[in-house]
Amino acid sequence: MSTEQDPAGSGQPQYDAVVVGAGFAGMYLLHRLRGLGFRTVVLEAAGDVGGTWYWNRYPGARCDIQSIDYSYSFDPELEAEWQWTEKYATQPEILRYANHVAERYDLRRDIRFDTRVDGARWDDGGSMWRIRTDSGDEMTARHYVMATGCLSLPKPPDIPGAERFGGEVYFTGKWPHEDVDFTGKRVGVIGTGSSGIQSIPIIAEQAAALTVFQRTPNYSMPAGNGPIPDDKAAAIAADRDAYRESARRSRAGVPVEVPAEGVFQVSEEERLRRFEEAWRQGELLAPSSKFTDLGINQAANDQFAEFVRGKIRSVVDDHEVAETLCPTDYPFGTKRPCLDTNYFQTFNLPHVRLVDLRESPIESITETGIDTRPVTGGEVEHHEFDAIVYAIGFDAMTGALVSVDIEGRDGITLAEKWEHGPETYLGLTAVGFPNFYMITGPGSPSVLSNMMVSIEQHVDWVVDCLRDMRDAGHEVIEPTQTAEAGWVQHVNDCADITLFPKANSWYMGANVPGKPRVFLPYVGGVDTYRATCERVVDEGYLGFRLSGPRGEQCHDGVVNRLQPDVMFLLQAMDELGLPPLETMDHAGAREFSLALKEQAPPGPDVGEIVDGTYPGADGELAYRIYQPAGDGPFPVVLYFHGGGWVLGAADSDDPLCRDLCVRTHAMIVSVDYRHAPEARFPAAHDDAWAAVQWLTSDVEALGGRPGPFAVAGWSAGGNLAAHVCQRARDEGGPAISGQLLITPVTDCDFSRPSYTENAEGYILTTALMHWFWDYYADEADRPDPRAAPLRAADLSGLPPTVVFTAEFDPLRDEGAAYAEALAAAGVDAREVPCRGHLHTSLGAVDVIISSAPVREQMAHELRSMLGASVTVPG
Ligand code: N01
């Protein structure tokens, strides 16, 4: 073993940066680090540059992001001198490009090929990494970067008997450099992911007989390969910089049209037209560029999935084979879809056979082939082969990282830290691993994006960070626990609002036995992600601790605290430049809220809607009843709408009332009340009380179950619900079985922290709350316990209470205070704090998907308030 000594004996590391991997990430890193004068070496296990394109030489290997997009963008001259020949470049052409880049920037002189890194250890005393290679060398570096790719560690064959086979064996992810000729041979291919789907048609052209072993059928669309499409060439020729910038600010790193409608917001004819257009486009991102909701709405996704199945059936002659090739048990896009050239057509060839491993799993690989046995227990079938091709995928995203023994601070290895799934900050760094960076690591957009765009963004971030550290005299950077935990939460929140967790995919680690089931990439989008990384830097490296001879700096915090869909909604509203309500008068604000309501999704269907009027305190007022499907009488919830006592109507919280009706199987009776400024305090409170009396006397006639009912309300409606419970207690009835208060007004004090923290930017602003109060009640009236129920002298004897509060709501702290005060007075009361939500997001049915579990919890609370007799059908 030789140790590369520090020749000057300075105690300084030999290198500023050691980079592992000479794929597109490692090459660009080297170019940029060298450009800034950082002493850098790249260590590469392969014999040359290219990374994944060096190893994946299987027949038919191509890119499935268009060549023009799958190119470096950092140097316009490089772009100008390289011409791609096809829409989707072949592996040899991409490798030629990698070689061209290596030569053009003279990269090879700082790359050590045929050098595998065995381990790396953080030396805390020396603030440096000690890196060991397979040749026994040790080198030291201030910074250590893993640029090892997301799909670079092939999965070993997890099939019994694999080592016994005496014929030729190939792995798509480690294909020989010499030509492989299948002419006249009997070939078995295991696996129908992208690698299988690309190679099977080509292998079929040569082989005498081809058998494909399929465990899970895949959604694949025709690539429509050919020359570079004119529109793409024209866009780049017209304004290269603008094109590249739009890619960087797009959702997936490729500029595509941004859809405006969901699948069910257009006619069936239009839906099919767009599906066809997407199909003909031959691009992975085409379907999601046609509709907003393919990735988040199961019913919408079902429509496209069925469309794809129809296409498969139309191509494959044999009905049974076609059905076997049709994916049915996971949503489109939740396993990586493929682009193919004649994949399904290949199964019409007489010498090609499909074996459905779900019907007949592999029992064993033998000396001469593969044995399968039907699940029904029939005879073993022996398939004889001259060659077996494993196209069984990779230990994706984390495999290459944990396969190196990386030991951080306190002797913990990355593999140990990630035992239950990867934990990173921004997918770039990890707590316990100072000066350690991952390019396109888990928790970054990586495999859900155009890798070239994501690689460039990560490399730029890391190199700029090293430059900033050098400028500031910092030697060590490490994320904080708070920042990392917050990021892991955000990554999970993003995945949870999509359909991705529904599939057993390699995105979820599900393809490798024993690997934790965690959604690995960041699905929030390249655009959001880039903006987040920029914000982290702009906010003084938010969530990082930096230290060095000149001292320490740490701006701790969590970078994205809003629920992701809430964040996207706020961004969209910001882009629309909608005027704040408080800048309008009450009439304008009412008109504006009505217009917004028109655009909102309607919410689920209920059994029946009944509109009518009830006697308010000063004349007839509207009600709307949401009846569940089925036979009554139903348990009843009296509901008061939100709107700051100024806006709204009996039907203004329609989607929420429908949703609660369906989830609780209770009758929701939404009542209107008089609004300010026409009717000021205590008009709304008096009407709310009148509604209680009316419902008590008419409940049976309305189809409700006699006896106690629950009350519920949102915002000012929550204030009214709280009031009627206090009044019913004080006036000796009626009995109310519980109160569900959703982000309610319970006080008139603007000094609580939630008012200061959320004064602006989250729809309900402090200014808007002033606007509401000013319209409704004189300052002197506001502390009246009817308007400020928290101020009631006695809070005991009230019905069971659940207060849902939202983290980014000025009313958060008063809601919490009300729950606390009630509990202190002996009431069965509690607060349910809703992380990352706003005043308006909990009831945003089919708009804010992350609030659906919250509403399920509301329904659960209501059901228990209403008693055990409430059963939800189905
Ligand atoms: O690997 P995969 P891949 N017995 O994991 C099956 C990128 N890529 O190399 O789904 C039987 O997708 C497995 O079945 P199941 C791209 O991101 C891009 O094809 O686990 N079968 C599946 O069918 C892609 O997604 C390009 O039930 C077994 C297949 O093997 C990613 O790389 C080209 C099995 C593996 O599919 C990985 O693609 C190629 C077993 N024991 C790859 N184990 C481009 O076009 C696994 N399978 C750019």
Side-chain angles (χ1 to χ4, degrees), residues 53 58 62-65 151 155 158-159 172 190-196 198 213 215-216 218 335-336 357 362 391-394 504 506 511:
W53 301 104
Y58 60 85
R62 279 181 193 275
C63 187
D64 57 8
I65 293 288
L151 295 154
K155 200 177 83 143
D158 46 356
I159 302 171
T172 48
I190 305 174
T192 53
S194 299
S195 306
Q198 285 187 332
F213 294 88
R215 189 161 67 182
T216 308
N218 226 320
K335 279 170 92 95
R336 172 76 148 53
L357 295 180
I362 297 177
I392 56 173
F394 300 88
N504 289 325
W506 59 256
N511 65 329

